[in-house]
Protein backbone atom coordinates (compact mmCIF):
# COMPACT_ATOMS: atom_id res chain seq x y z
CA UNK A 1 0.00 0.00 0.00
CA UNK A 2 2.87 2.41 0.82
CA UNK A 3 4.31 1.82 -2.69
CA UNK A 4 0.94 2.60 -4.30
CA UNK A 5 0.44 5.84 -2.31
CA UNK A 6 2.85 8.03 -4.38
CA UNK A 7 1.29 6.70 -7.59
CA UNK A 8 -2.27 7.46 -6.35
CA UNK A 9 -1.17 10.93 -5.22
CA UNK A 10 0.38 11.60 -8.64
CA UNK A 11 -2.81 10.38 -10.39
CA UNK A 12 -5.02 12.64 -8.27
CA UNK A 13 -2.83 15.69 -9.01
CA UNK A 14 -2.86 14.91 -12.73
CA UNK A 15 -6.65 14.51 -12.73
CA UNK A 16 -7.13 17.80 -10.91
CA UNK A 17 -5.00 19.57 -13.53
CA UNK A 18 -6.90 18.16 -16.49
CA UNK A 19 -10.40 18.46 -14.97
CA UNK A 20 -10.56 21.70 -12.97
CA UNK A 21 -13.52 22.12 -10.64
CA UNK A 22 -16.68 23.63 -12.13
CA UNK A 23 -16.19 26.81 -10.07
CA UNK A 24 -13.22 27.70 -12.26
CA UNK A 25 -15.46 27.81 -15.37
CA UNK A 26 -17.22 31.03 -14.37
CA UNK A 27 -18.93 32.56 -17.40
CA UNK A 28 -18.81 36.33 -17.74
CA UNK A 29 -22.29 37.81 -17.56
CA UNK A 30 -23.46 39.74 -20.63
CA UNK A 31 -24.23 43.44 -20.06
CA UNK A 32 -27.72 43.15 -21.60
CA UNK A 33 -30.55 41.21 -19.96
CA UNK A 34 -33.65 40.42 -22.00
CA UNK A 35 -36.96 41.37 -20.39
CA UNK A 36 -40.62 41.27 -21.44
CA UNK A 37 -42.21 44.48 -22.76
CA UNK A 38 -44.42 44.50 -19.65
CA UNK A 39 -41.28 44.74 -17.49
CA UNK A 40 -40.23 48.16 -18.84
CA UNK A 41 -40.18 50.25 -15.67
CA UNK A 42 -39.68 53.75 -17.09
CA UNK A 43 -42.62 56.13 -17.21
CA UNK A 44 -43.50 56.28 -20.93
CA UNK A 45 -44.21 60.03 -21.08
CA UNK A 46 -41.04 60.89 -19.19
CA UNK A 47 -39.01 58.36 -21.22
CA UNK A 48 -40.13 59.83 -24.55
CA UNK A 49 -40.60 63.53 -23.89
CA UNK A 50 -38.35 64.18 -20.89
CA UNK A 51 -35.41 61.81 -21.35
CA UNK A 52 -35.50 61.64 -25.16
CA UNK A 53 -34.85 58.50 -27.12
CA UNK A 54 -32.96 57.53 -30.21
CA UNK A 55 -34.38 55.57 -33.16
CA UNK A 56 -32.19 53.56 -35.54
CA UNK A 57 -32.88 51.69 -38.74
CA UNK A 58 -30.67 49.80 -41.16
CA UNK A 59 -27.99 47.17 -41.04
CA UNK A 60 -24.25 47.15 -40.49
CA UNK A 61 -22.57 49.49 -42.97
CA UNK A 62 -25.87 51.11 -44.03
CA UNK A 63 -27.81 52.60 -41.12
CA UNK A 64 -28.80 55.87 -39.50
CA UNK A 65 -30.04 57.11 -36.16
CA UNK A 66 -31.78 60.19 -34.83
CA UNK A 67 -33.04 61.58 -31.55
CA UNK A 68 -36.80 61.48 -31.03
CA UNK A 69 -39.05 63.17 -28.51
CA UNK A 70 -42.34 61.98 -30.03
CA UNK A 71 -43.45 58.41 -29.56
CA UNK A 72 -46.07 56.08 -28.14
CA UNK A 73 -45.77 52.74 -26.38
CA UNK A 74 -48.70 50.44 -25.76
CA UNK A 75 -50.84 47.68 -27.22
CA UNK A 76 -52.36 47.33 -30.70
CA UNK A 77 -53.86 44.31 -32.48
CA UNK A 78 -53.02 42.18 -29.42
CA UNK A 79 -49.33 43.04 -29.78
CA UNK A 80 -47.04 45.21 -27.65
CA UNK A 81 -46.05 48.14 -29.88
CA UNK A 82 -43.80 51.17 -30.04
CA UNK A 83 -44.84 53.94 -32.42
CA UNK A 84 -42.32 56.46 -33.72
CA UNK A 85 -42.84 59.52 -35.89
CA UNK A 86 -40.23 60.48 -38.50
CA UNK A 87 -40.40 63.52 -40.76
CA UNK A 88 -39.81 63.01 -44.48
CA UNK A 89 -37.16 65.75 -44.12
CA UNK A 90 -35.02 63.50 -41.93
CA UNK A 91 -32.34 61.25 -43.43
CA UNK A 92 -33.55 58.46 -41.12
CA UNK A 93 -36.89 58.39 -43.00
CA UNK A 94 -35.20 56.63 -45.93
CA UNK A 95 -33.90 53.89 -43.61
CA UNK A 96 -37.28 53.49 -41.93
CA UNK A 97 -38.86 52.96 -45.36
CA UNK A 98 -36.22 50.49 -46.56
CA UNK A 99 -36.05 48.24 -43.49
CA UNK A 100 -38.48 45.88 -41.80
CA UNK A 101 -37.15 46.58 -38.30
CA UNK A 102 -36.17 49.55 -36.19
CA UNK A 103 -34.78 49.96 -32.69
CA UNK A 104 -35.47 52.50 -29.98
CA UNK A 105 -32.81 53.07 -27.34
CA UNK A 106 -32.86 54.97 -24.05
CA UNK A 107 -29.73 56.46 -22.52
CA UNK A 108 -28.83 57.59 -19.00
CA UNK A 109 -28.97 61.32 -18.20
CA UNK A 110 -25.19 61.57 -18.52
CA UNK A 111 -25.59 60.98 -22.28
CA UNK A 112 -27.92 63.95 -22.92
CA UNK A 113 -25.23 65.97 -24.75
CA UNK A 114 -24.68 63.08 -27.15
CA UNK A 115 -28.41 62.77 -27.86
CA UNK A 116 -28.60 66.51 -28.43
CA UNK A 117 -25.78 66.15 -30.99
CA UNK A 118 -27.67 63.33 -32.74
CA UNK A 119 -30.70 65.62 -33.06
CA UNK A 120 -28.69 68.51 -34.54
CA UNK A 121 -26.54 66.71 -37.11
CA UNK A 122 -27.62 64.81 -40.23
CA UNK A 123 -26.26 61.40 -41.21
CA UNK A 124 -26.18 62.73 -44.78
CA UNK A 125 -23.22 64.89 -43.79
CA UNK A 126 -21.22 62.82 -41.31
CA UNK A 127 -20.89 59.60 -39.34
CA UNK A 128 -23.19 60.38 -36.42
CA UNK A 129 -22.25 57.28 -34.43
CA UNK A 130 -18.57 58.27 -34.44
CA UNK A 131 -19.38 61.93 -33.88
CA UNK A 132 -21.44 61.15 -30.78
CA UNK A 133 -18.80 58.72 -29.50
CA UNK A 134 -21.26 55.82 -29.45
CA UNK A 135 -20.43 52.13 -29.76
CA UNK A 136 -22.82 50.38 -32.14
CA UNK A 137 -23.72 46.74 -31.51
CA UNK A 138 -26.01 44.55 -33.59
CA UNK A 139 -28.79 42.26 -32.41
CA UNK A 140 -29.17 38.69 -33.67
CA UNK A 141 -31.58 40.11 -36.25
CA UNK A 142 -28.86 42.52 -37.39
CA UNK A 143 -30.38 45.72 -36.01
CA UNK A 144 -28.32 48.45 -34.32
CA UNK A 145 -28.31 49.19 -30.59
CA UNK A 146 -25.66 51.00 -28.54
CA UNK A 147 -23.37 49.87 -25.74
CA UNK A 148 -23.89 53.18 -23.90
CA UNK A 149 -27.70 52.78 -23.76
CA UNK A 150 -29.49 51.38 -20.71
CA UNK A 151 -32.60 50.14 -22.56
CA UNK A 152 -33.00 48.81 -26.10
CA UNK A 153 -36.31 47.98 -27.79
CA UNK A 154 -36.30 46.05 -31.08
CA UNK A 155 -39.40 46.41 -33.25
CA UNK A 156 -40.74 44.77 -36.39
CA UNK A 157 -42.49 47.35 -38.56
CA UNK A 158 -46.16 46.36 -38.96
CA UNK A 159 -47.63 49.60 -40.29
CA UNK A 160 -46.46 52.92 -41.68
CA UNK A 161 -48.36 55.90 -43.03
CA UNK A 162 -47.84 59.62 -43.47
CA UNK A 163 -50.12 62.01 -41.61
CA UNK A 164 -52.77 63.54 -43.86
CA UNK A 165 -52.33 67.34 -43.78
CA UNK A 166 -56.02 67.85 -44.67
CA UNK A 167 -57.05 66.09 -41.46
CA UNK A 168 -54.71 68.08 -39.20
CA UNK A 169 -55.72 71.10 -37.15
CA UNK A 170 -54.70 74.34 -38.91
CA UNK A 171 -52.13 75.12 -36.19
CA UNK A 172 -50.28 71.86 -36.93
CA UNK A 173 -50.19 72.53 -40.67
CA UNK A 174 -48.80 75.99 -39.89
CA UNK A 175 -46.21 74.45 -37.57
CA UNK A 176 -44.89 72.31 -40.46
CA UNK A 177 -44.81 75.34 -42.76
CA UNK A 178 -43.04 77.56 -40.20
CA UNK A 179 -40.41 74.91 -39.49
CA UNK A 180 -39.93 73.84 -43.11
CA UNK A 181 -40.41 70.17 -42.20
CA UNK A 182 -41.82 67.35 -44.27
CA UNK A 183 -44.96 65.90 -42.71
CA UNK A 184 -44.21 62.99 -40.38
CA UNK A 185 -44.75 59.33 -41.06
CA UNK A 186 -46.08 57.19 -38.25
CA UNK A 187 -44.34 53.82 -37.95
CA UNK A 188 -45.93 51.18 -35.73
CA UNK A 189 -43.51 48.50 -34.62
CA UNK A 190 -44.37 45.27 -32.86
CA UNK A 191 -41.96 44.95 -29.95
CA UNK A 192 -40.06 41.70 -30.53
CA UNK A 193 -37.22 42.13 -27.99
CA UNK A 194 -36.45 44.37 -25.05
CA UNK A 195 -33.09 44.47 -23.27
CA UNK A 196 -31.99 46.45 -20.25
CA UNK A 197 -28.67 46.95 -18.51
Amino acid sequence: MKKALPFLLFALIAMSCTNPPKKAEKIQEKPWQEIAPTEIELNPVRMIDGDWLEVSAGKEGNMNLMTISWGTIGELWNKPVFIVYVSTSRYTHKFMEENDYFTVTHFPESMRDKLSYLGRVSGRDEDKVAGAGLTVEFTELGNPIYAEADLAIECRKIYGQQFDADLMPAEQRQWYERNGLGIHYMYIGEIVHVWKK
Side-chain angles (χ1 to χ4, degrees):
M1 180 68 179
K2 286 182 181 178
K3 289 181 181 177
L5 192 57
F7 176 77
L8 285 172
L9 189 56
F10 175 79
L12 286 170
I13 292 169
M15 284 175 57
S16 70
C17 290
T18 55
N19 296 314
K22 291 290 180 193
K23 284 183 185 176
E25 297 175 10
K26 184 177 179 186
I27 297 170
Q28 182 108 9
E29 288 184 15
K30 294 181 179 178
W32 291 107
Q33 172 192 0
E34 186 158 9
I35 62 171
T38 53
E39 295 178 278
I40 298 172
E41 295 175 354
L42 295 168
N43 176 289
V45 176
R46 162 111 196 211
M47 175 176 67
I48 296 164
D49 182 48
D51 296 349
W52 299 348
L53 296 169
E54 174 281 322
V55 64
S56 294
K59 302 296 182 188
E60 189 169 2
N62 187 32
M63 56 160 283
N64 201 57
L65 68 162
M66 63 177 260
T67 301
I68 57 172
S69 59
W70 292 3
T72 309
I73 188 169
E75 185 83 7
L76 178 68
W77 301 328
N78 298 317
K79 301 174 190 302
V81 295
F82 204 111
I83 305 171
V84 296
Y85 306 93
V86 180
S87 167
T88 55
S89 304
R90 299 301 297 260
Y91 187 49
T92 301
H93 175 256
K94 163 185 176 315
F95 294 88
M96 294 294 289
E97 285 291 295
E98 293 173 353
N99 289 277
D100 294 329
Y101 289 84
F102 63 89
T103 60
V104 177
T105 45
H106 178 272
F107 293 81
E109 179 63 30
S110 60
M111 299 290 292
R112 182 163 286 268
D113 286 348
K114 294 184 187 298
L115 267 68
S116 178
Y117 165 85
L118 293 173
R120 289 191 317 267
V121 174
S122 174
R124 290 184 187 97
D125 305 323
E126 61 183 86
D127 182 346
K128 290 170 70 169
V129 174
L134 296 177
T135 309
V136 66
E137 301 176 336
F138 291 90
T139 69
E140 288 188 11
L141 295 174
N143 301 304
I145 59 175
Y146 305 91
E148 294 79 7
D150 55 17
L151 181 72
I153 302 170
E154 187 172 36
C155 302
R156 181 175 64 87
K157 196 170 62 177
I158 57 175
Y159 187 79
Q161 184 171 342
Q162 189 173 27
F163 288 143
D164 186 336
D166 293 336
L167 299 177
M168 286 181 192
E171 64 187 89
Q172 290 310 126
R173 287 196 303 273
Q174 291 162 8
W175 180 85
Y176 280 104
E177 290 166 11
R178 272 195 320 273
N179 290 287
L181 284 175
I183 294 175
H184 284 72
Y185 265 74
M186 170 182 66
Y187 294 100
I188 303 173
E190 176 188 2
I191 298 173
V192 294
H193 293 288
V194 181
W195 297 278
K196 73 170 186 176
K197 289 277 178 73

